[in-house]
Amino acid sequence: MQVALAQIDIKFGDPDENYRRVAAAIKQAAVQQADVVVLPEMWNTGYALTALDQLADFNGVRTQTVLTDLARQYQINIVGGSVAVARNGHYYNEMLVVNRQGKLLSRYDKVHRFGLMREDRYITAGRTENRFVLDEVPAMGVICYDIRFPEWLRKQAAQGPQVIFVSAEWPTVRLPQWRLLLQARAIENQAYVVAVNRVGSDPDNDFGGQSLVIDPLGQVVAETQDQPTVVTATIDLQQVAAVRGSMPVFADRRTELY
Ligand SMILES: NC(=O)CCC(=O)C(=O)O
């Protein structure tokens, strides 16, 4: 499976410009013959949380339309990062996943709100899992701060996903932790981790990219720097079976104890 990391800059509070940037990145991924393109977190608005009443995508309609059209046009699966969505009088940080036929496979609202970036004040937390199948490969997706909660990822990974997709706006100052957390999530779940962070700045933070593809042994197989880019990498899913076969970590869990 060829995965493309769409590490874009996000223009703060400017959805029109950001939809253009995302369309260009998806086109670039398709030109590079990626099977799946992964976007960063909150790419429609950035963390313009105080203006969500004007900026959030109402019911996610615009995002769903744009992503399903692009998926069909370029015949590419899209792990749609996340966007700010307004629904039922609440705001959500929501990931949409679309397959290459243009079918919406899942919608996931970020479960763990990140207080340091004031999500707890503006965003309603999700409650549901995010597992889906892309080209017959079982996969799952989480959003940024979610990766600090291994039990949340484990609960889902134990049900079969071989690839964990992560979309983020992770500030530069904590990138060493980003890397280690992602490597740990790959090792303990014996899965590929494909993680995309944004670049650029907003009024509160700088974002240094370092999007990563990590194999089930925790080794970094692809990595970006701190500039906008679309990078494609190959993930070998037979490695997941090999690693799981050689050390049956899931079967060895003591679920009667925890
Ligand atoms: N957008 C986020 O959830 C950021 C999470 C983060 O920076 C962290 O350290 O965790």
Side-chain angles (χ1 to χ4, degrees), residues 129-149:
E129 297 184 0
N130 188 26
R131 292 183 292 110
F132 44 87
V133 177
L134 294 177
D135 294 346
E136 299 182 10
V137 176
M140 55 178 275
V142 293
I143 303 175
C144 206
Y145 187 47
D146 282 334
I147 66 167
R148 287 188 186 268
F149 301 87

Side-chain angles (χ1 to χ4, degrees), residues 120-134:
D120 51 338
R121 281 169 53 186
Y122 296 96
I123 299 289
T124 300
R127 302 179 56 82
T128 56
E129 297 184 0
N130 188 26
R131 292 183 292 110
F132 44 87
V133 177
L134 294 177

Side-chain angles (χ1 to χ4, degrees), residues 41-42 46-50 93 110 113-123 144-145 168-171 174 197-198 202 204-207:
E41 182 185 18
M42 288 284 267
Y47 267 81
L49 299 181
T50 56
N93 181 342
K110 186 177 184 180
R113 296 171 300 170
F114 190 53
L116 284 188
M117 286 161 71
R118 293 189 294 278
E119 283 188 308
D120 51 338
R121 281 169 53 186
Y122 296 96
I123 299 289
C144 206
Y145 187 47
E169 286 210 29
W170 193 285
R174 288 186 296 281
N197 190 23
R198 65 164 288 188
D202 71 12
D204 296 319
N205 289 294
D206 297 323
F207 301 94

Side-chain angles (χ1 to χ4, degrees), residues 57-65 67-68 78 80-87 92-98 103-111 126-132 141-143 152 156:
D57 184 12
F58 188 69
N59 285 333
V61 171
R62 180 177 185 181
T63 306
Q64 184 174 342
T65 305
L67 295 185
T68 51
I78 303 174
S82 75
V83 289
V85 166
R87 193 182 339 113
Y92 297 88
N93 181 342
E94 184 166 276
M95 174 183 285
L96 284 80
V97 180
V98 176
K103 181 175 176 211
L104 179 68
L105 298 184
S106 79
R107 300 180 83 127
Y108 168 73
D109 297 320
K110 186 177 184 180
V111 162
R127 302 179 56 82
T128 56
E129 297 184 0
N130 188 26
R131 292 183 292 110
F132 44 87
V142 293
I143 303 175
W152 179 235
Q156 300 179 70

Side-chain angles (χ1 to χ4, degrees), residues 12 25 34 72 106 138 141 161 167 186 211 233 239:
F12 188 73
R72 223 177 280 120
S106 79
S167 297
S211 300
Q239 211 198 335

